[in-house]
Structure formats: C-alpha cells, structure tokens
Amino acid sequence: MAAQEISEIEAKEKGYQKIASVNTTAETTSPMDAKKVLSQKADEQGGRYFVVIAGRQHGRFSATADVYK
C-alpha cells in the first residue's frame, strides 16, 4: 500500500503521529514523480501518510515531506 499525501491540517485534526522526514533528490522530472518518490520513501519508513513541506524546481524537482502513521 502506497503512503497517501495529506494536508498538514488533516494530520493535526486526525492526530496522526509524525515518525520521520524524507526527501527526494534532484533527479525527478515532474512534481508527480517527486510525490511518487516521497510516497515510496514514506512506505519504507513505515508511514501511511505524508505531508509535503517543501518543494523546489531547478530544472528538475526535489521535495521534502514529513511522514505520519
């Protein structure tokens, strides 16, 4: 099961527990690819959800997310 992207508000309202932070490298070529990588990395950390907290475009895309369970 792939970790789902949720909003920070949803994470707080539902009382999800933050367990890690993950990031992509600058190798992804679209925002959707970056989210897919974040989802995979959240899974590896044992998370069910992730909240994107930063993103950057510099020819390619990179992003950081907090992981929740």
Side-chain angles (χ1 to χ4, degrees), residues 6-18 49-51 53 66-69:
I6 60 172
S7 69
E8 185 175 2
I9 293 170
E10 184 177 355
K12 288 180 182 180
E13 287 177 351
K14 301 227 174 161
Y16 295 141
Q17 178 186 4
K18 180 181 169 185
Y49 309 101
F50 67 96
V51 174
I53 58 171
D66 288 335
V67 180
Y68 293 83
K69 66 174 187 172

Side-chain angles (χ1 to χ4, degrees), residues 11-33:
K12 288 180 182 180
E13 287 177 351
K14 301 227 174 161
Y16 295 141
Q17 178 186 4
K18 180 181 169 185
I19 59 171
S21 293
V22 294
N23 63 333
T24 67
T25 61
E27 296 176 8
T28 55
T29 57
S30 74
M32 293 306 295
D33 289 343

